[in-house]
Amino acid sequence: MHRRHLTAAALAAALLAAWPVAAQDTVKIGLILPMTGPSASTGREIEAAAKLYLQQNGTTVAGKTIELIVRDDTGTADVTKRLAQELVVKDKVSVLAGFGLTPLAAAAAPIATQAKVPQVIMAAATAVTTEASPFIVRTSFTLPQVTVPLAEWSAQNGIKTVVTLVSDYAPGLDAQKAFAERFGKAGGTVVEQLQVPLKNPDFAPFLQRVADAKPDAVFVFVPSGFGAVFMKQFVERGLDKSGIRLIATGDVTDDELLDKIGDVALGTITTHHYSAAHDSAENKAFVQAFQAANGGMRPNFMAVGGYDGMHLIIEALKKTNGATDGQGLVDAMKGMSWTSVRGPVSIDPDTRDIIQNVYVRKVEKRDGGLYNVEFATIEAVKDPVKAAK
Ligand code: DHB
């Protein structure tokens, strides 16, 4: 009896002693994503990529176990903020990551600053977003970064007049401004700038204005997941047969949607930082593994932002030897460079934004599917908005 009592007490003591050690031995990453709602594809792609990264690279770093906690913010900024708070206070995450849309990333930034927790942005792409907190590091892209090369390509390829048509929120306005400035400098004329509501967009009246203006080309940005709706209305309005060329950021010819959009997309010129058709050994292995693990789903640029975001976090933890101090992790991330499946990338130590190649692509048929086939590369592009400051 006495002996049994002691054993139980000893066991309890052992458990108590072991508990804090076990807690310290786990590094938690809070991944906040829109898993439902109109941007659910962004959540689906990033979650799949983050999990694939851990499957391939293991969950032990510097003797610590990596635990990924995924939360659905439904694409609503208030929810993002609440989840960020809970993850920091209750779950004690060492890193916040994800952020499918600019307003969601902005909502979490004050939490990252207060808690001194790195905020790795894997999706949102408005240029100024990284300035919302010194703890933000970004592995996606910026709209001006991918738009400026398209403005230049257009001016060099016989396009003289353009109407711009974008989703009416920060990244759309960023793209519109970047296009107009660079195209104007290169001798082109933007004849009209149109903004379409982000929620439940009806493109029809705006496409009518494009048709009436008869520009050489229409430049388009809509966020990931919205390209199919846009293209459907583009065809319904007869724009595909109007002689007006469609040029866009790669968000429109999103790899996950391209086959659904169909042959009407053939020939569309876009600029972006990632194509599932990117010709490298690293990318071929990535696409194959991603599709095998996800029922054939094709990885898009969001998946790559997630995959590289995990790489950044894990490599930073290796550099700090497992230490999770927020400033230490951010410092470890600054200046890091690696071979991504998109090509060579690095984190600009001054802006904490990603420096990467931007590719000019054309939608073509390959192996029975539609792909953004890269045909020109602009190397090591920095976000032009912050580079100009
Ligand atoms: C943003 C979201 C997207 O889905 C995208 O393709 C580009 C930018 C954003 O909200 O920042």
Side-chain angles (χ1 to χ4, degrees):
M1 182 71 197
H2 182 66
R3 223 163 126 197
R4 205 173 140 217
H5 194 74
L6 260 184
T7 309
L11 186 66
L15 279 175
L16 265 177
W19 183 78
V21 175
Q24 280 169 10
D25 279 349
T26 301
V27 177
K28 293 180 186 173
I29 301 169
L31 191 56
I32 309 177
L33 293 168
M35 301 303 301
T36 52
S39 297
S41 62
T42 295
R44 190 162 62 232
E45 290 270 351
I46 292 178
E47 181 186 21
K51 289 190 166 161
L52 178 64
Y53 188 86
L54 291 179
Q55 258 168 38
Q56 292 176 330
N57 295 278
T59 49
T60 308
V61 176
K64 299 203 172 183
T65 303
I66 305 298
E67 185 188 336
L68 198 59
I69 304 175
V70 183
R71 293 276 188 268
D72 176 16
D73 66 10
T74 73
T76 311
D78 292 349
V79 181
T80 315
K81 186 166 189 179
R82 178 172 57 72
L83 291 174
Q85 218 145 15
E86 278 177 19
L87 284 163
V88 165
V89 175
K90 284 199 202 142
D91 297 293
K92 310 232 178 312
V93 297
S94 299
V95 179
L96 290 166
F99 310 102
L101 295 156
T102 291
L104 312 180
I111 311 277
T113 304
Q114 278 164 25
K116 299 187 168 31
V117 166
Q119 179 183 356
V120 176
I121 297 182
M122 298 167 161
T126 299
V128 297
T129 298
T130 43
E131 292 171 15
S133 169
F135 287 88
I136 291 178
V137 184
R138 176 155 52 191
T139 57
S140 52
F141 69 111
T142 80
L143 263 306
Q145 186 180 41
V146 299
T147 300
V148 163
L150 184 59
E152 284 171 355
W153 183 90
S154 302
Q156 288 157 12
N157 285 272
I159 295 173
K160 295 194 166 53
T161 55
V162 169
V163 173
T164 59
L165 187 161
V166 301
S167 293
D168 191 8
Y169 76 127
L173 305 180
D174 247 11
Q176 200 157 47
K177 187 158 176 268
F179 191 93
E181 274 178 17
R182 195 57 66 107
F183 191 56
K185 267 192 201 139
T189 307
V190 170
V191 294
E192 207 168 344
Q193 307 205 67
L194 305 172
Q195 290 117 30
V196 187
L198 175 64
K199 292 208 170 110
N200 304 314
D202 178 10
F203 295 100
F206 300 95
L207 289 168
Q208 190 55 52
R209 283 168 69 176
V210 174
D212 293 345
K214 297 189 176 58
D216 293 334
V218 56
F219 163 75
V220 179
F221 161 78
V222 293
S224 188
F226 288 72
V229 178
F230 168 76
M231 289 298 281
K232 186 167 173 278
Q233 296 194 3
F234 188 79
V235 176
E236 279 169 5
R237 290 274 123 186
L239 268 289
D240 57 323
K241 298 190 175 65
S242 66
I244 299 168
R245 295 183 70 174
L246 172 63
I247 53 175
T249 64
D251 311 72
V252 178
T253 56
D254 186 335
D255 267 299
E256 197 189 305
L257 293 175
L258 203 43
D259 278 332
K260 195 159 114 194
I261 291 172
D263 286 357
V264 62
L266 280 169
T268 305
I269 299 289
T270 61
T271 43
H272 230 207
H273 53 293
Y274 178 71
S275 164
H278 179 67
D279 191 10
S280 73
E282 291 87 358
N283 186 50
K284 283 196 175 84
F286 169 70
V287 172
Q288 197 173 35
F290 188 95
Q291 293 198 302
N294 294 286
M297 175 167 76
R298 198 195 285 185
N300 68 5
F301 62 99
M302 291 301 184
V304 173
Y307 196 70
D308 282 337
M310 286 306 292
H311 179 80
L312 180 70
I313 295 165
I314 299 300
E315 290 302 312
L317 281 164
K318 283 186 194 167
K319 271 172 102 178
T320 64
N321 200 24
T324 53
D325 159 65
Q327 190 59 56
L329 283 175
V330 170
D331 288 344
M333 292 175 183
K334 289 180 182 175
M336 200 183 278
S337 63
W338 67 99
T339 302
S340 163
V341 300
R342 64 184 113 176
V345 299
S346 65
I347 299 298
D348 187 331
D350 299 325
T351 64
R352 292 164 278 102
D353 228 327
I354 192 159
I355 303 174
Q356 59 190 335
N357 293 347
V358 175
Y359 306 91
V360 192
R361 311 99 54 86
K362 187 177 188 176
V363 177
E364 291 178 13
K365 209 161 251 177
R366 284 268 172 98
D367 309 323
L370 295 175
Y371 284 92
N372 295 293
V373 177
E374 297 165 350
F375 64 89
T377 305
I378 302 96
E379 285 180 5
V381 182
K382 285 188 182 191
D383 170 55
V385 173
K386 287 186 287 296
K389 280 184 181 173

